Amino acid sequence: MGLSDELLNSDKKELIVDDCCTVIETQLASKSGISGIALKTAFAALKGVKPGYIPYVVEQLLPQCFTALDPIWDEGLQKGDPVEHLVASRDRTADALLSVTDERVKQAKRPIVRGTYEKFRGSAKQHVEEAVPEFAKVIGKYTK
């Protein structure tokens, strides 16, 4: 059974989406300097696309994200601690997650979404890697 099957059943899905949105907000809050201001401004613009846009996008992306993470998660299960394995493999974890968003943005109909993503894609891996420990904890919380 893959992560999507395990985590996205009806009684967990909304909680996971909420926790993932909290991880995103926490990561953004931790950013400082000019790049932090730029990220926060871009995120505010995306939030303004329509009410509930960020949770909607998270909910739409999670099945593909979990599928992309399945091989890394399975390796971690074999080693005894899949959450720690995601963190230890944060480079691969970030690449797997970004492969999902890269594909998804190609289908984006809103120019603000595509443009914002493309503007920040070059630095995205670093930010995703920094978020991996908290994201892995969210996954671990709901797989126990």
Side-chain angles (χ1 to χ4, degrees), residues 50-127:
K50 69 179 181 178
Y53 185 68
I54 300 302
Y56 168 78
V57 170
V58 169
E59 182 178 344
Q60 296 301 306
L61 290 174
L62 279 178
Q64 293 88 14
C65 287
F66 290 149
T67 298
L69 293 177
D70 275 338
I72 305 166
W73 184 261
D74 290 343
E75 289 170 11
L77 284 172
Q78 293 173 7
K79 293 181 177 189
D81 189 343
V83 171
E84 182 54 39
H85 187 66
L86 286 177
V87 175
S89 305
R90 72 180 69 204
D91 178 65
R92 287 178 54 214
T93 302
D95 284 339
L97 295 171
L98 288 167
S99 72
V100 172
T101 56
D102 287 347
E103 281 303 309
R104 183 62 177 247
V105 83
K106 290 177 186 175
Q107 303 166 18
K109 292 177 175 57
R110 290 180 160 86
I112 190 170
V113 172
R114 191 177 311 107
T116 301
Y117 187 82
E118 290 169 357
K119 181 177 181 180
F120 290 97
R121 179 56 177 93
S123 63
K125 186 169 180 180
Q126 172 192 341
H127 298 300

Side-chain angles (χ1 to χ4, degrees), residues 1-17 59 63 66 142-143:
M1 173 166 49
L3 284 173
S4 286
D5 300 325
E6 185 174 352
L7 294 177
L8 296 179
N9 66 44
S10 61
D11 65 328
K12 293 180 184 178
K13 187 176 187 177
E14 188 175 328
L15 296 170
I16 294 169
V17 169
E59 182 178 344
F66 290 149
Y142 294 101
T143 56

Side-chain angles (χ1 to χ4, degrees), residues 23-37:
V23 168
I24 293 167
E25 294 281 352
T26 301
Q27 287 297 310
L28 277 170
S30 74
K31 304 300 177 194
S32 61
I34 293 180
S35 62
I37 292 169

